[in-house]
Amino acid sequence: MVEAIDAPLPPTSTTPQVQDISLHGDDPPPRYIVRELPDLSPPSTTIPIIDLSRLLSGDEDGGREELGELKAALTSWGCFQLIGHGIPGELLDEVQVSAKQFFRLPSEEKQMCFRPEDDVEGYGNDPILSDKQILDWSDRLLLKLVPEDTRKLHLWPTNPTQFREVVSGYSDELKRIVEALMKAMARCVGLEEDCFLKQYGGKEMMMSRFNHYPVCPRPDVVLGVKAHSDGSGVTVLLQDDKVEGLQILKEGRWYGVPIIPHALVVNVGDQMQIMSNGIFKSPMHRAAVSATRERYSLAVFHLPDPEVEIGPAQDLVTKELPQQYRNLKNYSAINFDCFQKGEIALDSVKI
Ligand SMILES: O=C(O)CCC(=O)C(=O)O
Ligand SMILES: [Fe+2]
């Protein structure tokens, strides 16, 4: 199942906050019980580690070697841990602390950030799209970061007071990093470095999703986020610095992603799988929860403006690898449509 979460979508109704259910320590209501039960201690694995500072060292040996590693990561796992990214550790800590402080406020104090009925942005949990929908054991805060002039600041927390400044600072850093990564992604498959970025037509969007996974007395029957691939071009995830939970599917097996302090987990999204003509993999992933420790994470989805058409880079379309996906606009809307029908969005745009 693919979640439709990373861009503005039509209005939906809401459910109670998981934080409030969790406070009572009750067993999860039936709507949260997943069919495919989570593995609470999957084998932990070292997903590839990419050093951005080495990547940016150009044609020197280190740079070339790292570019090869990047290609291997994108074509096998579809994700990697990014180190050497240049974001000060203190800023990453401040982002974590600010998010935790916000989520830990009592519901009444988060009121001003509540997602309006007709919006996807704001604080809340799963929008209910159908009676059969299984809900995630998480509360979220969704905020668009870029373009800056479309930020809905009235939904941005004012408590804690540093939230806005810290998140804006993080957003600036991510813009720089994702741009550098997208250039390297193009170079690693022999394309001009601006090949993927050009498809965005200078109009990029960054949507943040702060995730809070409260403790659950039955972590064996719920998921913080059900299995999904991201509908983004690229996603950058700041994992909780103490509590693990992220799992990635590879060749039919789930693997736990260990925490590397101050590393960012980068994963290919569906739109990058499309632009790379299927060469890069948009991995299925999910998040398990814990009976004793709450968990936090921050996913930032980098994606093209919905008005801009994207498609497989023509230089990656060959006789051996014909065009795999059709050109399209507004993948988020396609994703949303498929989600409602229980279909996989990537399959629906496959040629
Ligand atoms: O919390 C995590 O580790 C994963 C979150 C995620 O996959 C998402 O927000 O799309
Ligand atoms: Fe995700």
mmCIF file of all heavy atoms in Angstrom, residues 51-86:
data_model
loop_
_atom_site.group_PDB
_atom_site.id
_atom_site.type_symbol
_atom_site.label_atom_id
_atom_site.label_comp_id
_atom_site.label_asym_id
_atom_site.label_seq_id
_atom_site.Cartn_x
_atom_site.Cartn_y
_atom_site.Cartn_z
ATOM 1 N N ASP A 51 29.078 9.554 2.099
ATOM 2 C CA ASP A 51 29.677 10.756 2.680
ATOM 3 C C ASP A 51 29.557 11.885 1.656
ATOM 4 O O ASP A 51 30.220 11.868 0.617
ATOM 5 C CB ASP A 51 31.148 10.446 3.009
ATOM 6 C CG ASP A 51 31.842 11.608 3.699
ATOM 7 O OD1 ASP A 51 31.381 12.762 3.542
ATOM 8 O OD2 ASP A 51 32.841 11.353 4.387
ATOM 9 N N LEU A 52 28.720 12.868 1.955
ATOM 10 C CA LEU A 52 28.475 13.947 0.990
ATOM 11 C C LEU A 52 29.743 14.757 0.721
ATOM 12 O O LEU A 52 29.996 15.156 -0.413
ATOM 13 C CB LEU A 52 27.354 14.871 1.492
ATOM 14 C CG LEU A 52 26.918 15.957 0.498
ATOM 15 C CD1 LEU A 52 26.340 15.367 -0.782
ATOM 16 C CD2 LEU A 52 25.902 16.907 1.126
ATOM 17 N N SER A 53 30.548 14.963 1.737
ATOM 18 C CA SER A 53 31.753 15.774 1.509
ATOM 19 C C SER A 53 32.699 15.065 0.529
ATOM 20 O O SER A 53 33.348 15.701 -0.298
ATOM 21 C CB SER A 53 32.461 16.096 2.827
ATOM 22 O OG SER A 53 32.913 14.911 3.429
ATOM 23 N N ARG A 54 32.734 13.754 0.580
ATOM 24 C CA ARG A 54 33.555 13.005 -0.395
ATOM 25 C C ARG A 54 32.945 13.066 -1.788
ATOM 26 O O ARG A 54 33.633 13.232 -2.786
ATOM 27 C CB ARG A 54 33.666 11.536 0.042
ATOM 28 C CG ARG A 54 34.989 11.214 0.737
ATOM 29 C CD ARG A 54 34.916 9.896 1.438
ATOM 30 N NE ARG A 54 34.906 8.749 0.529
ATOM 31 C CZ ARG A 54 35.980 8.079 0.128
ATOM 32 N NH1 ARG A 54 37.163 8.461 0.531
ATOM 33 N NH2 ARG A 54 35.872 7.050 -0.668
ATOM 34 N N LEU A 55 31.597 12.943 -1.810
ATOM 35 C CA LEU A 55 30.883 13.001 -3.099
ATOM 36 C C LEU A 55 31.189 14.301 -3.828
ATOM 37 O O LEU A 55 31.329 14.339 -5.044
ATOM 38 C CB LEU A 55 29.380 12.979 -2.844
ATOM 39 C CG LEU A 55 28.547 11.753 -3.142
ATOM 40 C CD1 LEU A 55 27.079 12.095 -3.050
ATOM 41 C CD2 LEU A 55 28.876 11.124 -4.487
ATOM 42 N N LEU A 56 31.258 15.390 -3.038
ATOM 43 C CA LEU A 56 31.433 16.713 -3.622
ATOM 44 C C LEU A 56 32.889 17.007 -3.963
ATOM 45 O O LEU A 56 33.201 18.058 -4.492
ATOM 46 C CB LEU A 56 30.894 17.798 -2.671
ATOM 47 C CG LEU A 56 29.388 17.703 -2.387
ATOM 48 C CD1 LEU A 56 28.935 18.828 -1.476
ATOM 49 C CD2 LEU A 56 28.586 17.719 -3.683
ATOM 50 N N SER A 57 33.766 16.049 -3.674
ATOM 51 C CA SER A 57 35.179 16.309 -3.961
ATOM 52 C C SER A 57 35.504 16.045 -5.431
ATOM 53 O O SER A 57 36.655 15.913 -5.815
ATOM 54 C CB SER A 57 36.078 15.501 -3.020
ATOM 55 O OG SER A 57 35.874 14.127 -3.248
ATOM 56 N N GLY A 58 34.469 15.950 -6.253
ATOM 57 C CA GLY A 58 34.634 15.940 -7.711
ATOM 58 C C GLY A 58 35.304 14.705 -8.247
ATOM 59 O O GLY A 58 35.013 13.592 -7.805
ATOM 60 N N ASP A 59 36.246 14.923 -9.189
ATOM 61 C CA ASP A 59 36.822 13.791 -9.906
ATOM 62 C C ASP A 59 38.015 13.156 -9.203
ATOM 63 O O ASP A 59 38.638 12.252 -9.728
ATOM 64 C CB ASP A 59 37.227 14.224 -11.315
ATOM 65 C CG ASP A 59 36.005 14.240 -12.209
ATOM 66 O OD1 ASP A 59 35.015 13.576 -11.853
ATOM 67 O OD2 ASP A 59 36.042 14.929 -13.238
ATOM 68 N N GLU A 60 38.311 13.671 -8.017
ATOM 69 C CA GLU A 60 39.399 13.007 -7.292
ATOM 70 C C GLU A 60 38.971 11.569 -7.003
ATOM 71 O O GLU A 60 37.790 11.253 -7.045
ATOM 72 C CB GLU A 60 39.646 13.722 -5.964
ATOM 73 C CG GLU A 60 40.228 15.109 -6.134
ATOM 74 C CD GLU A 60 40.013 15.958 -4.894
ATOM 75 O OE1 GLU A 60 39.970 15.375 -3.802
ATOM 76 O OE2 GLU A 60 39.869 17.176 -5.051
ATOM 77 N N ASP A 61 39.939 10.717 -6.642
ATOM 78 C CA ASP A 61 39.626 9.297 -6.441
ATOM 79 C C ASP A 61 38.476 9.089 -5.470
ATOM 80 O O ASP A 61 37.566 8.316 -5.717
ATOM 81 C CB ASP A 61 40.869 8.562 -5.916
ATOM 82 C CG ASP A 61 41.834 8.317 -7.058
ATOM 83 O OD1 ASP A 61 41.425 8.590 -8.207
ATOM 84 O OD2 ASP A 61 42.959 7.884 -6.785
ATOM 85 N N GLY A 62 38.550 9.809 -4.318
ATOM 86 C CA GLY A 62 37.511 9.658 -3.294
ATOM 87 C C GLY A 62 36.137 9.970 -3.855
ATOM 88 O O GLY A 62 35.164 9.255 -3.614
ATOM 89 N N GLY A 63 36.052 11.052 -4.628
ATOM 90 C CA GLY A 63 34.778 11.487 -5.209
ATOM 91 C C GLY A 63 34.222 10.442 -6.154
ATOM 92 O O GLY A 63 33.035 10.105 -6.117
ATOM 93 N N ARG A 64 35.100 9.917 -7.009
ATOM 94 C CA ARG A 64 34.655 8.908 -7.985
ATOM 95 C C ARG A 64 34.191 7.638 -7.290
ATOM 96 O O ARG A 64 33.190 7.035 -7.644
ATOM 97 C CB ARG A 64 35.786 8.582 -8.964
ATOM 98 C CG ARG A 64 35.711 9.418 -10.238
ATOM 99 C CD ARG A 64 36.436 8.728 -11.380
ATOM 100 N NE ARG A 64 37.833 8.432 -11.035
ATOM 101 C CZ ARG A 64 38.836 9.298 -11.162
ATOM 102 N NH1 ARG A 64 38.602 10.500 -11.639
ATOM 103 N NH2 ARG A 64 40.068 8.978 -10.842
ATOM 104 N N GLU A 65 34.958 7.259 -6.286
ATOM 105 C CA GLU A 65 34.616 6.050 -5.525
ATOM 106 C C GLU A 65 33.244 6.206 -4.848
ATOM 107 O O GLU A 65 32.397 5.323 -4.902
ATOM 108 C CB GLU A 65 35.683 5.873 -4.446
ATOM 109 C CG GLU A 65 35.953 4.448 -4.063
ATOM 110 C CD GLU A 65 37.083 4.438 -3.049
ATOM 111 O OE1 GLU A 65 38.266 4.556 -3.448
ATOM 112 O OE2 GLU A 65 36.753 4.344 -1.862
ATOM 113 N N GLU A 66 33.034 7.385 -4.256
ATOM 114 C CA GLU A 66 31.782 7.643 -3.538
ATOM 115 C C GLU A 66 30.602 7.669 -4.510
ATOM 116 O O GLU A 66 29.502 7.228 -4.179
ATOM 117 C CB GLU A 66 31.904 8.983 -2.794
ATOM 118 C CG GLU A 66 31.050 9.105 -1.565
ATOM 119 C CD GLU A 66 31.446 8.158 -0.424
ATOM 120 O OE1 GLU A 66 32.531 7.575 -0.477
ATOM 121 O OE2 GLU A 66 30.619 8.005 0.497
ATOM 122 N N LEU A 67 30.866 8.177 -5.723
ATOM 123 C CA LEU A 67 29.801 8.217 -6.732
ATOM 124 C C LEU A 67 29.373 6.790 -7.097
ATOM 125 O O LEU A 67 28.191 6.511 -7.294
ATOM 126 C CB LEU A 67 30.322 8.959 -7.976
ATOM 127 C CG LEU A 67 29.308 9.703 -8.835
ATOM 128 C CD1 LEU A 67 28.530 10.731 -8.017
ATOM 129 C CD2 LEU A 67 30.011 10.397 -10.000
ATOM 130 N N GLY A 68 30.357 5.899 -7.156
ATOM 131 C CA GLY A 68 30.067 4.486 -7.427
ATOM 132 C C GLY A 68 29.238 3.880 -6.295
ATOM 133 O O GLY A 68 28.294 3.117 -6.519
ATOM 134 N N GLU A 69 29.617 4.241 -5.081
ATOM 135 C CA GLU A 69 28.876 3.745 -3.900
ATOM 136 C C GLU A 69 27.439 4.266 -3.936
ATOM 137 O O GLU A 69 26.499 3.571 -3.573
ATOM 138 C CB GLU A 69 29.518 4.245 -2.603
ATOM 139 C CG GLU A 69 30.963 3.870 -2.403
ATOM 140 C CD GLU A 69 31.124 2.471 -1.849
ATOM 141 O OE1 GLU A 69 30.231 2.051 -1.116
ATOM 142 O OE2 GLU A 69 32.127 1.813 -2.178
ATOM 143 N N LEU A 70 27.297 5.523 -4.349
ATOM 144 C CA LEU A 70 25.964 6.125 -4.407
ATOM 145 C C LEU A 70 25.095 5.363 -5.412
ATOM 146 O O LEU A 70 23.953 5.003 -5.126
ATOM 147 C CB LEU A 70 26.062 7.607 -4.814
ATOM 148 C CG LEU A 70 24.719 8.332 -4.968
ATOM 149 C CD1 LEU A 70 24.022 8.491 -3.624
ATOM 150 C CD2 LEU A 70 24.907 9.717 -5.614
ATOM 151 N N LYS A 71 25.662 5.086 -6.567
ATOM 152 C CA LYS A 71 24.909 4.360 -7.591
ATOM 153 C C LYS A 71 24.485 2.985 -7.070
ATOM 154 O O LYS A 71 23.338 2.557 -7.230
ATOM 155 C CB LYS A 71 25.740 4.218 -8.865
ATOM 156 C CG LYS A 71 24.973 3.499 -9.967
ATOM 157 C CD LYS A 71 25.744 3.435 -11.248
ATOM 158 C CE LYS A 71 24.948 2.648 -12.283
ATOM 159 N NZ LYS A 71 25.732 2.399 -13.489
ATOM 160 N N ALA A 72 25.430 2.319 -6.401
ATOM 161 C CA ALA A 72 25.111 0.987 -5.859
ATOM 162 C C ALA A 72 23.978 1.084 -4.844
ATOM 163 O O ALA A 72 23.059 0.257 -4.817
ATOM 164 C CB ALA A 72 26.359 0.390 -5.216
ATOM 165 N N ALA A 73 24.023 2.135 -4.019
ATOM 166 C CA ALA A 73 22.984 2.301 -2.989
ATOM 167 C C ALA A 73 21.612 2.555 -3.638
ATOM 168 O O ALA A 73 20.599 1.981 -3.238
ATOM 169 C CB ALA A 73 23.350 3.462 -2.068
ATOM 170 N N LEU A 74 21.604 3.413 -4.634
ATOM 171 C CA LEU A 74 20.326 3.815 -5.246
ATOM 172 C C LEU A 74 19.682 2.693 -6.045
ATOM 173 O O LEU A 74 18.458 2.624 -6.164
ATOM 174 C CB LEU A 74 20.547 5.017 -6.177
ATOM 175 C CG LEU A 74 21.057 6.293 -5.514
ATOM 176 C CD1 LEU A 74 21.462 7.313 -6.563
ATOM 177 C CD2 LEU A 74 19.994 6.870 -4.594
ATOM 178 N N THR A 75 20.532 1.814 -6.590
ATOM 179 C CA THR A 75 19.992 0.765 -7.434
ATOM 180 C C THR A 75 19.696 -0.528 -6.662
ATOM 181 O O THR A 75 19.062 -1.429 -7.184
ATOM 182 C CB THR A 75 20.974 0.439 -8.591
ATOM 183 O OG1 THR A 75 22.253 0.147 -8.013
ATOM 184 C CG2 THR A 75 21.105 1.600 -9.544
ATOM 185 N N SER A 76 20.196 -0.601 -5.418
ATOM 186 C CA SER A 76 19.919 -1.822 -4.649
ATOM 187 C C SER A 76 18.921 -1.527 -3.530
ATOM 188 O O SER A 76 17.755 -1.884 -3.609
ATOM 189 C CB SER A 76 21.220 -2.400 -4.086
ATOM 190 O OG SER A 76 21.876 -1.438 -3.282
ATOM 191 N N TRP A 77 19.355 -0.806 -2.512
ATOM 192 C CA TRP A 77 18.479 -0.480 -1.382
ATOM 193 C C TRP A 77 17.493 0.641 -1.703
ATOM 194 O O TRP A 77 16.387 0.679 -1.163
ATOM 195 C CB TRP A 77 19.312 -0.033 -0.184
ATOM 196 C CG TRP A 77 19.992 -1.149 0.516
ATOM 197 C CD1 TRP A 77 21.267 -1.603 0.282
ATOM 198 C CD2 TRP A 77 19.454 -1.955 1.564
ATOM 199 N NE1 TRP A 77 21.539 -2.643 1.133
ATOM 200 C CE2 TRP A 77 20.446 -2.880 1.931
ATOM 201 C CE3 TRP A 77 18.231 -1.983 2.237
ATOM 202 C CZ2 TRP A 77 20.257 -3.815 2.923
ATOM 203 C CZ3 TRP A 77 18.036 -2.919 3.235
ATOM 204 C CH2 TRP A 77 19.036 -3.827 3.556
ATOM 205 N N GLY A 78 17.953 1.584 -2.520
ATOM 206 C CA GLY A 78 17.135 2.785 -2.746
ATOM 207 C C GLY A 78 17.225 3.736 -1.570
ATOM 208 O O GLY A 78 16.430 4.677 -1.464
ATOM 209 N N CYS A 79 18.146 3.487 -0.671
ATOM 210 C CA CYS A 79 18.308 4.402 0.465
ATOM 211 C C CYS A 79 19.712 4.268 1.034
ATOM 212 O O CYS A 79 20.428 3.307 0.741
ATOM 213 C CB CYS A 79 17.264 4.125 1.535
ATOM 214 S SG CYS A 79 17.467 2.564 2.333
ATOM 215 N N PHE A 80 20.089 5.266 1.817
ATOM 216 C CA PHE A 80 21.411 5.238 2.449
ATOM 217 C C PHE A 80 21.421 6.197 3.623
ATOM 218 O O PHE A 80 20.534 7.033 3.766
ATOM 219 C CB PHE A 80 22.507 5.628 1.438
ATOM 220 C CG PHE A 80 22.260 6.929 0.703
ATOM 221 C CD1 PHE A 80 22.672 8.143 1.226
ATOM 222 C CD2 PHE A 80 21.598 6.931 -0.523
ATOM 223 C CE1 PHE A 80 22.442 9.331 0.550
ATOM 224 C CE2 PHE A 80 21.356 8.130 -1.208
ATOM 225 C CZ PHE A 80 21.777 9.332 -0.665
ATOM 226 N N GLN A 81 22.434 6.024 4.457
ATOM 227 C CA GLN A 81 22.650 6.958 5.559
ATOM 228 C C GLN A 81 23.632 8.000 5.047
ATOM 229 O O GLN A 81 24.719 7.646 4.569
ATOM 230 C CB GLN A 81 23.281 6.245 6.765
ATOM 231 C CG GLN A 81 22.505 5.041 7.266
ATOM 232 C CD GLN A 81 21.799 5.331 8.596
ATOM 233 O OE1 GLN A 81 21.538 6.480 8.931
ATOM 234 N NE2 GLN A 81 21.477 4.283 9.333
ATOM 235 N N LEU A 82 23.262 9.261 5.164
ATOM 236 C CA LEU A 82 24.114 10.340 4.667
ATOM 237 C C LEU A 82 24.905 10.957 5.813
ATOM 238 O O LEU A 82 24.335 11.449 6.789
ATOM 239 C CB LEU A 82 23.255 11.421 4.004
ATOM 240 C CG LEU A 82 24.039 12.553 3.334
ATOM 241 C CD1 LEU A 82 24.739 12.048 2.061
ATOM 242 C CD2 LEU A 82 23.140 13.736 2.997
ATOM 243 N N ILE A 83 26.230 10.899 5.655
ATOM 244 C CA ILE A 83 27.105 11.561 6.641
ATOM 245 C C ILE A 83 27.901 12.642 5.903
ATOM 246 O O ILE A 83 27.798 12.747 4.679
ATOM 247 C CB ILE A 83 28.047 10.555 7.340
ATOM 248 C CG1 ILE A 83 28.921 9.833 6.295
ATOM 249 C CG2 ILE A 83 27.248 9.536 8.154
ATOM 250 C CD1 ILE A 83 30.060 9.042 6.913
ATOM 251 N N GLY A 84 28.673 13.422 6.618
ATOM 252 C CA GLY A 84 29.481 14.469 5.971
ATOM 253 C C GLY A 84 28.622 15.489 5.253
ATOM 254 O O GLY A 84 29.052 16.111 4.278
ATOM 255 N N HIS A 85 27.387 15.676 5.742
ATOM 256 C CA HIS A 85 26.447 16.578 5.034
ATOM 257 C C HIS A 85 26.624 18.035 5.425
ATOM 258 O O HIS A 85 26.056 18.925 4.799
ATOM 259 C CB HIS A 85 25.005 16.142 5.295
ATOM 260 C CG HIS A 85 24.707 15.846 6.722
ATOM 261 N ND1 HIS A 85 24.856 16.771 7.714
ATOM 262 C CD2 HIS A 85 24.311 14.693 7.338
ATOM 263 C CE1 HIS A 85 24.547 16.226 8.878
ATOM 264 N NE2 HIS A 85 24.225 14.950 8.681
ATOM 265 N N GLY A 86 27.387 18.284 6.480
ATOM 266 C CA GLY A 86 27.691 19.677 6.833
ATOM 267 C C GLY A 86 26.641 20.366 7.695
ATOM 268 O O GLY A 86 26.805 21.531 8.041
#
